[in-house]
Amino acid sequence: MTARLTLSQARRIALAAQGLVKERPTRPVTARQVGRTFARLQLVQIDSVNVLARAHYLPFFSRLGPYDAGIVDRLSGRAPRRMVEYWAHEASYVRPEHFPDLRVWQRRKW
């Protein structure tokens, strides 16, 4: 049996999977909330050339609303790091526990 979805159902599933259907916090955003959002996304592209803001800050804003961008800098720049930079098709932040597996994949021979 083939499952069928309407376009509206497919949209709702995709938005929910990306964490875009939840209400934004009404209180100041904490590092824990940013960390949980990153844990859900697993990868955030880094792009230093952007008119509005650096690309890796935008996914958190779209899901959490206004927040201190310094939280992302602390999660990626201070021990214990919750985000590490990796070239995964593009410069990205990934979760540290994924890094060893990605390095193995990177070293493969064609």
Side-chain angles (χ1 to χ4, degrees), residues 4-45:
R4 295 187 183 269
L5 297 173
T6 66
L7 185 56
S8 177
Q9 289 171 321
R11 271 192 204 110
R12 284 196 304 271
I13 290 169
L15 290 172
Q18 288 296 313
L20 292 168
V21 294
K22 293 181 178 182
E23 296 265 338
R24 288 180 171 178
T26 55
R27 294 186 175 153
V29 175
T30 65
R32 183 177 303 250
Q33 290 169 303
V34 173
R36 276 196 307 254
T37 301
F38 182 65
R40 180 180 193 105
L41 296 174
Q42 300 288 316
L43 180 142
V44 176
Q45 182 176 346

Side-chain angles (χ1 to χ4, degrees), residues 1-109:
M1 182 171 137
T2 304
R4 295 187 183 269
L5 297 173
T6 66
L7 185 56
S8 177
Q9 289 171 321
R11 271 192 204 110
R12 284 196 304 271
I13 290 169
L15 290 172
Q18 288 296 313
L20 292 168
V21 294
K22 293 181 178 182
E23 296 265 338
R24 288 180 171 178
T26 55
R27 294 186 175 153
V29 175
T30 65
R32 183 177 303 250
Q33 290 169 303
V34 173
R36 276 196 307 254
T37 301
F38 182 65
R40 180 180 193 105
L41 296 174
Q42 300 288 316
L43 180 142
V44 176
Q45 182 176 346
I46 301 169
D47 183 1
S48 60
V49 181
N50 197 301
V51 175
L52 179 63
R54 294 185 67 192
H56 58 282
Y57 297 126
L58 299 177
F60 302 104
F61 178 81
S62 65
R63 288 156 180 84
L64 300 170
Y67 74 101
D68 175 10
I71 293 171
V72 173
D73 297 334
R74 287 190 298 278
L75 291 175
S76 64
R78 292 188 189 157
R81 290 195 168 111
R82 303 288 184 245
M83 306 169 145
V84 294
E85 190 171 338
Y86 182 77
W87 186 262
H89 178 67
E90 66 277 331
S92 304
Y93 284 131
V94 298
R95 295 179 54 147
E97 57 268 24
H98 296 311
F99 189 77
D101 294 329
L102 291 168
R103 293 288 291 158
V104 169
W105 183 82
Q106 183 182 29
R107 291 182 179 144
R108 73 198 182 285
K109 300 224 188 290

